[in-house]
């Protein structure tokens, strides 16, 4: 590589890294605000209302409880970390009062805290925070405000974190929409790649589509995990209770999108095998290519519907997606698509449940979606 090429590559990498960093900053502004207010507020309350000197544990408990953690169930996480901090400090305070300070006392405190944490809860955050806070109590100088003053500081910090998470939560729709957009774009890309594989009669391209489809599972998991936190927020927080129906619509759709993606993996795997071993007629190749391409367009429209905020636009996109999917569903009959071989028939039959799942994701009932498919009774492939 020439020096000029290396410089251009480095510049592109810097620009890409800058864009990613700015995106993270933009999406983290509200949570940074929450962490700042909770931490400073907890310190101020413990210092001025409780009269504690340098209540650093109040600030750290609030800060750790509200820490950045993508995709976690937010209120459970805050509560879990808050309790872990408080118990860890309480155990440390109690044991240091009995055993005194020192290296072996720190080891006893840490071991006791970790075992107690494992007994109470199997959460990693809970165990880590309980152990960390207890050992800090032993290693830091004793508090001038009494034996359990630092435990009280931790309680203040945890309550401040819970109050900020409850009254000023992050928008519960933002993360699921972002994750859903990534999933839908990748799913549509898989279908288009499968369409090109059929058009070019390229088994290798079909295998690439299969590999790409298998790699969508982390995207599905990300949407599903994010929706747990979102449903928790719209259920608990008064600020976003009015958005519950919108989040539940996304949750309903992702269940069927997950099924459709799983069916797509079966389809692309079979497609690779068929293209490698069977000769399809020109009519079959053309009809399968068009069906997969039209299905990709419908998936994109469905993604637009689930990602848009305005109810009117969302319903318009959903109606368009249902029409596109119904159009594809009505063509999924092996005889009408020019498919004459048993192997080719399986491709059409694999597409049928996938389209039904997508129609349900777009708002149809199972019976309505199934009725969009042409009946196969009495069909004679001869």
């Amino acid at each position: 590589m020439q020096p000029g090429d290396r410089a251009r590559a480095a510049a592109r990498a810097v620009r890409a890294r800058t864009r990613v960093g700015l995106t993270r900053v933009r999406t983290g502004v509200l949570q940074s605000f929450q962490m700042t207010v909770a931490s400073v507020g907890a310190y101020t309350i413990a210092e001025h209302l409780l009269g504690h000197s340098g209540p650093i544990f109040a600030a750290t408990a609030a800060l750790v409880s509200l820490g950045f953690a993508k995709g976690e169930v937010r209120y459970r996480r805050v509560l879990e970390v808050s309790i872990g901090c408080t118990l860890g400090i309480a155990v440390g305070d109690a044991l240091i009062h009995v055993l005194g300070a020192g290296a072996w006392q720190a080891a006893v405190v840490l071991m006791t805290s970790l075992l107690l944490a494992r007994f109470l809860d199997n959460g990693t955050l809970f165990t880590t925070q309980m152990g960390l806070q207890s050992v800090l109590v032993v290693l830091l100088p004793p508090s001038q405000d009494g034996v359990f003053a630092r435990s009280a500081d931790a309680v203040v910090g945890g309550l401040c974190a819970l109050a900020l998470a409850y009254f000023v939560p992050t928008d519960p729709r933002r993360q699921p929409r972002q994750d859903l957009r990534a999933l839908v774009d990748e799913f549509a890309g898989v279908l288009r790649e499968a369409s090109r594989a059929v058009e070019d009669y390229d088994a290798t391209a079909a295998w690439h589509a299969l590999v790409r489809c298998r790699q969508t599972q982390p995207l599905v998991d990300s949407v599903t995990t994010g929706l747990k936190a979102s449903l928790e927020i719209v259920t608990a927080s008064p600020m976003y209770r009015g958005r519950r129906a919108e989040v539940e619509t996304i949750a309903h759709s992702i269940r069927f999108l997950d099924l459709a993606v799983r069916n797509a993996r079966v389809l692309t795997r079979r497609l690779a095998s068929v293209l490698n071993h069977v000769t399809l007629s020109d009519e079959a190749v053309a009809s399968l290519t068009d069906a997969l391409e039209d299905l990709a367009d419908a998936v994109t429209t469905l993604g637009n519907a689930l990602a848009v905020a305005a109810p009117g636009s969302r319903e318009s996109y959903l109606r368009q997606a249902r029409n596109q999917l119904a159009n594809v569903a009505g063509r999924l009959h092996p005889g009408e698509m020019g498919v004459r071989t048993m192997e080719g028939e399986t491709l059409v039959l694999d597409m049928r449940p996938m389209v039904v799942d997508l129609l349900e994701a777009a708002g149809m009932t199972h019976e309505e979606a199934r009725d969009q498919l042409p009946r196969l009774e009495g069909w004679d492939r001869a």
Side-chain angles (χ1 to χ4, degrees):
M1 182 181 290
Q2 298 297 321
D5 294 334
R6 284 197 294 270
R8 283 190 291 272
R12 284 195 299 270
V14 169
R15 286 195 297 271
R17 179 65 183 79
T18 302
R19 283 195 299 271
V20 171
L22 290 174
T23 300
R24 283 202 299 265
V25 169
R26 187 172 61 253
T27 57
V29 167
L30 178 57
Q31 197 166 352
S32 299
F33 171 79
Q34 288 177 314
M35 293 163 69
T36 302
V37 172
S39 184
V40 175
Y43 187 95
T44 302
I45 291 171
E47 184 177 42
H48 293 287
L49 293 185
L50 301 183
H52 291 175
S53 175
I56 189 64
F57 282 96
T60 56
L63 189 65
V64 172
S65 298
L66 284 173
F68 291 99
K70 178 182 180 296
E72 299 230 18
V73 181
R74 189 152 179 75
Y75 296 120
R76 172 175 175 157
R77 179 186 184 279
V78 172
L79 192 60
E80 184 178 276
V81 175
S82 299
I83 293 174
C85 286
T86 303
L87 279 178
I89 294 169
V91 169
D93 278 335
L95 290 180
I96 197 175
H97 182 70
V98 174
L99 303 177
W104 71 267
Q105 290 92 335
V108 171
V109 169
L110 180 57
M111 188 69 177
T112 303
S113 298
L114 293 176
L115 292 177
L116 180 59
R118 297 304 294 171
F119 173 77
L120 295 174
D121 192 280
N122 66 350
T124 303
L125 280 170
F126 183 87
T127 304
T128 303
Q129 288 306 317
M130 192 167 169
L132 176 63
Q133 300 301 329
S134 64
V135 79
L136 283 177
V137 169
V138 177
L139 296 178
L140 291 176
S143 173
Q144 301 174 359
D145 303 306
V147 178
F148 292 104
R150 290 182 288 201
S151 302
D153 293 342
V155 171
V156 170
L159 290 176
C160 286
L162 282 171
L164 264 292
Y166 183 81
F167 291 108
V168 193
T170 55
D171 189 337
R173 302 163 296 170
R174 179 178 55 81
Q175 193 62 54
R177 281 179 184 160
Q178 291 177 355
D179 294 339
L180 191 60
R181 170 56 64 191
L183 170 62
V184 167
D185 288 346
E186 191 63 15
F187 187 18
V190 167
L191 294 172
R192 290 194 172 91
E193 192 166 348
S195 174
R196 289 193 296 271
V198 176
E199 185 177 25
D200 299 337
Y201 222 90
D202 187 347
T204 301
W207 281 111
H208 289 164
L210 171 60
V211 171
R212 185 175 178 182
C213 195
R214 285 173 173 168
Q215 292 173 344
T216 58
Q217 190 57 46
L219 297 176
V220 174
D221 295 340
S222 180
V223 179
T224 303
T225 304
L227 278 169
K228 290 179 182 178
S230 297
L231 287 169
E232 190 180 57
I233 290 173
V234 296
T235 300
S237 174
M239 186 175 178
Y240 284 108
R241 258 173 218 156
R243 305 297 183 184
R244 181 168 182 168
E246 185 177 345
V247 175
E248 287 178 341
T249 297
I250 298 175
H252 170 83
S253 296
I254 189 58
R255 286 177 41 249
F256 295 104
L257 272 173
D258 184 12
L259 294 174
V261 170
R262 293 174 189 273
N263 283 323
R265 292 177 199 144
V266 176
L267 173 67
T268 50
R269 185 176 185 277
R270 197 177 301 275
L271 177 62
S273 177
V274 169
L275 294 180
N276 204 33
H277 299 100
V278 180
T279 300
L280 298 174
S281 66
D282 291 342
E283 183 183 0
V285 168
S287 58
L288 286 169
T289 298
D290 291 343
L292 288 167
E293 188 66 34
D294 291 345
L295 199 55
D297 292 338
V299 168
T300 299
T301 304
L302 177 59
N304 292 336
L306 298 175
V308 74
S313 299
R314 182 167 59 252
E315 185 52 44
S316 176
Y317 275 125
L318 284 173
R319 192 180 309 111
Q320 182 183 349
R322 288 193 292 268
N323 291 336
Q324 290 174 306
L325 290 166
N327 178 270
V328 175
R331 289 144 50 190
L332 295 181
H333 189 292
E336 296 175 7
M337 297 180 74
V339 177
R340 296 292 179 265
T341 64
M342 183 180 299
E343 294 82 1
E345 292 165 13
T346 60
L347 295 177
V348 180
L349 298 179
D350 285 340
M351 292 176 66
R352 289 166 66 97
M354 180 169 63
V355 173
V356 170
D357 290 333
L358 289 170
L359 282 167
E360 290 188 70
M364 280 192 182
T365 65
H366 180 73
E367 290 72 20
E368 290 172 338
R370 189 181 55 194
D371 289 343
Q372 306 303 313
L373 297 170
R375 295 187 177 278
L376 300 176
E377 287 85 347
W379 168 52
D380 183 1
R381 71 172 59 95

